[in-house]
Amino acid sequence: MTSDPRYNQFLAAHPNYPSTSHIDALRQSDYARLDQANHVYLDYTGASLYSDSQVEKHLDLLRTNIFGNPHSANPTSLAMTSLVESTRQKTLAYFNAQDNYHLVFTQNASGALKLIGESFPFEPGSQFLATCDNHNSVNGIREYARKKGAQVTYSPLTSPDLRIDQNTLHQNLSTPKTKERLFAFPAQSNYSGVKHPLSLIKEAQQQGWRVLLDAAAYVPTNPLNLSEIDPDFVSISFYKMFGYPAGLGALLIKKSSLDILCRPWFAGGTVNFTTVQQQHHILSHGEAGFEDGTINYLGIPAIAIGLDHLTKIGIETIRTRIHCLTSHILTQLSQLRHDNHQPLVKLHGPATTDMRGGTITFNLYDPANQRLDYRRIEELAGQQNLSLRTGCFCNPGANESAEGLNDHDIRAGISLGAELNLPNFVKLMDANGTNKSAGAVRASLGVASNFADAQKLIDFIATFLNRQRHTLGEVTVEDDTCRVIRDSS
């Protein structure tokens, strides 16, 4: 509950919101640190928040058992192996994938995508097709493809909604098949929140494509039923789903697609037999052939705890809450105008909740239509205990589409050589007078978000009404290479 009089107006506009009220009770019991610290966390696409109960249950498991490295037959190893495999089966069941998929535990979603890049049979005559809206860990697959002589193609987005240009994609998918080819797209954009049609999976497969679905930004707030759709490969990240454990993701591989993958090397834990004298090895079957070395065996049981946590809340309940809060934010931001009627906010992505999630990306403009520095916006938000994220979020294609960056702009940046990084590209665009940006502000909702969080964001953004760009002050963290130059997630 909230004492804000605007809450009743919000409820009138979103009558389904009260059905999610048990999340408010959960916030008090499991996420109490948010309100105790008077902190507004709106970076769930970067990482979800872990609950107190998840950490407590995992700690209790570790305190009351003796676990060892699973690659043995001693009692501690067998106990750990049993937990790892039961977690594997629980995860497969969560996605209704237990019959048709293998699940490989990886370090993160990027690790899952790297496995596909290095193992897919790219060769001259094969193709890698990706949408411009993709995380850099998908974009990186093109380097494997190009090195092996495959054709690399990007399919564009529409503006300003940043949805896939369906006509162009249909043309790209309909090219004749000569070799194995891979089509990659995200179920939900980590940049704009757009939910791309999952029907593209079947369309692509019917035309001879293998399909890689990046579901990392989708599954934290949406159900994914792999018995209804069947992409060949799916990447996910567990800390984005429920905050803890970090450092664990998964690659789901359709069983019928496993045999086309060819690993370029082997490691401890991935072989049934290897010999030095004959320089020969037999790769382990199924997921074991992809789990290099010792997996994060102590962290993996926390995945089962996290899945139970989401299941208890209800993924549909989470989705309903996110839908209501997103609608409120989009409506309110679109109404913010300076006294001269110029809009304060330029949204990057859909202005409604139709086929979109709770990731809201935007830039702010002063009354003279001069873009406000997104890095300074993040700094000022931090001073008010408001956690946002800024940059291009490891999705340069979506940002280039959103900001209208063209070949001339990109070539100008590349001409900087080794000096090219995100801050210097921002300076270049400013110096050229383009009013274009290399990044934006992103607010993203998640499992513990509530009306007060959404309203505090709106109220914070409203403080920039009628302010000139030069009145905001200078960016003070420009040389923070971890935060600014290594733009991430």
Side-chain angles (χ1 to χ4, degrees):
M1 297 296 292
T2 176
S3 59
D4 192 324
R6 295 170 292 187
Y7 184 58
N8 288 333
Q9 297 174 343
F10 166 75
L11 291 180
H14 304 92
N16 291 333
Y17 188 78
S19 69
T20 70
S21 61
H22 66 275
I23 294 180
D24 294 316
L26 187 70
R27 174 157 170 155
Q28 295 304 311
S29 62
D30 249 353
Y31 302 91
R33 60 191 185 277
L34 283 169
D35 295 323
Q36 290 169 357
N38 192 31
H39 199 99
V40 177
Y41 183 81
L42 293 174
D43 190 24
Y44 285 90
T45 301
S48 186
L49 290 181
Y50 55 85
S51 66
D52 291 353
S53 61
Q54 287 173 255
V55 178
E56 291 164 357
K57 289 176 181 177
H58 188 222
L59 180 58
D60 184 62
L61 179 72
L62 298 180
R63 279 176 168 169
T64 56
N65 291 277
I66 303 172
F67 295 126
N69 189 319
H71 291 164
S72 187
N74 66 64
T76 57
S77 179
L78 290 175
M80 193 69 254
T81 298
S82 177
L83 267 181
V84 168
E85 294 309 314
S86 66
T87 300
R88 194 189 309 275
Q89 292 306 311
K90 179 185 281 287
T91 307
L92 285 166
Y94 183 83
F95 295 111
N96 289 303
Q98 58 269 44
D99 295 331
N100 299 320
Y101 284 83
H102 296 289
L103 186 140
V104 179
F105 287 118
T106 61
Q107 185 177 2
N108 43 39
S110 296
L113 294 163
K114 185 173 185 288
L115 284 174
I116 296 301
E118 69 180 19
S119 302
F120 195 83
F122 292 119
E123 59 180 317
S126 62
Q127 297 171 271
F128 175 54
L129 171 63
T131 55
C132 284
D133 183 5
N134 261 309
H135 191 278
N136 265 341
S137 296
V138 175
N139 291 329
I141 293 174
R142 75 187 185 207
E143 301 305 309
Y144 288 106
R146 287 199 301 206
K147 189 172 183 179
K148 295 179 180 179
Q151 176 184 334
V152 176
T153 305
Y154 276 100
S155 212
L157 308 177
T158 61
S159 182
D161 283 358
L162 303 183
R163 301 190 189 277
I164 297 170
D165 184 327
Q166 296 286 331
N167 290 333
T168 304
L169 179 62
H170 295 331
Q171 293 173 12
N172 289 330
L173 290 175
S174 63
T175 56
K177 178 183 178 181
T178 57
K179 303 285 187 178
E180 285 287 354
R181 51 191 189 171
L182 181 65
F183 169 51
F185 75 101
Q188 179 172 313
S189 173
N190 76 310
Y191 184 94
S192 66
V194 167
K195 293 180 181 178
H196 298 299
L198 298 182
S199 59
L200 294 175
I201 297 168
K202 184 176 182 180
E203 177 186 345
Q205 289 172 334
Q206 288 177 337
Q207 300 189 63
W209 293 83
R210 305 283 182 170
V211 177
L212 167 59
L213 182 71
D214 179 9
Y218 182 81
V219 293
T221 57
N222 297 278
L224 181 66
N225 187 340
L226 293 178
S227 69
E228 295 179 351
I229 60 168
D230 62 342
D232 298 270
F233 316 107
V234 183
S235 57
I236 59 174
S237 175
F238 293 111
Y239 74 88
K240 291 183 183 293
M241 292 180 69
F242 33 75
Y244 178 84
L248 275 167
L251 172 65
L252 290 95
I253 306 173
K254 191 164 66 171
K255 290 179 179 178
S256 60
S257 300
L258 177 67
D259 288 344
I260 71 163
L261 299 179
C262 181
R263 298 220 59 197
W265 82 313
F266 66 90
T270 65
V271 287
N272 288 339
F273 184 83
T274 182
T275 170
V276 172
Q277 293 183 41
Q278 293 297 316
Q279 297 188 32
H280 184 72
H281 72 278
I282 303 297
L283 197 69
S284 298
H285 181 67
E287 65 276 345
F290 292 82
E291 291 179 346
D292 296 331
T294 301
I295 55 178
N296 184 358
Y297 59 87
L298 291 179
I300 286 174
I303 295 171
I305 295 169
L307 291 173
D308 286 341
H309 182 68
L310 285 188
T311 300
K312 183 178 180 180
I313 299 170
I315 196 69
E316 290 291 353
T317 299
I318 296 171
R319 180 159 66 170
T320 296
R321 171 163 285 222
I322 299 305
H323 181 272
C324 294
L325 295 174
T326 302
S327 175
H328 179 61
I329 293 172
L330 292 173
T331 300
Q332 296 299 311
L333 292 186
S334 67
Q335 295 175 359
L336 295 176
R337 292 183 174 269
H338 301 291
D339 286 347
N340 65 355
H341 306 297
Q342 287 289 328
L344 169 65
V345 180
K346 176 187 176 183
L347 287 171
H348 296 325
T352 71
T353 53
D354 181 40
M355 286 294 289
R356 69 117 72 230
T359 300
I360 304 167
T361 299
F362 54 91
N363 270 309
L364 304 183
Y365 293 80
D366 72 5
N369 198 35
Q370 292 298 302
R371 178 183 47 80
L372 306 184
D373 194 318
Y374 61 83
R375 298 166 299 171
R376 183 59 176 154
I377 303 299
E378 183 180 17
E379 287 183 345
L380 295 172
Q383 294 172 13
Q384 298 191 26
N385 280 350
L386 173 57
S387 285
L388 303 172
R389 186 170 290 261
T390 62
C392 76
F393 323 116
C394 278
N395 193 330
N399 187 77
E400 289 165 14
S401 300
E403 284 293 320
L405 294 169
N406 55 36
D407 286 346
H408 175 78
D409 299 323
I410 302 302
R411 289 195 188 99
I414 293 173
S415 70
L416 296 177
E419 297 300 313
L420 177 60
N421 56 42
L422 199 59
N424 285 342
F425 190 77
V426 172
K427 289 180 181 178
L428 179 66
M429 291 297 99
D430 287 344
N432 290 346
T434 65
N435 207 28
K436 298 176 182 179
S437 177
V441 181
R442 187 180 75 186
S444 51
L445 302 161
V447 60
S449 298
N450 62 13
F451 170 79
D453 293 338
Q455 195 58 53
K456 286 178 182 176
L457 170 68
I458 296 163
D459 291 344
F460 168 72
I461 298 301
T463 64
F464 297 96
L465 283 169
N466 301 312
R467 294 186 65 178
Q468 300 291 334
R469 176 175 177 170
H470 69 271
T471 66
L472 298 189
E474 297 297 323
V475 177
T476 61
V477 293
E478 190 167 350
D479 294 328
D480 181 345
T481 57
C482 288
R483 191 193 70 84
V484 178
I485 298 174
R486 295 187 62 196
D487 178 68
S488 62
S489 293

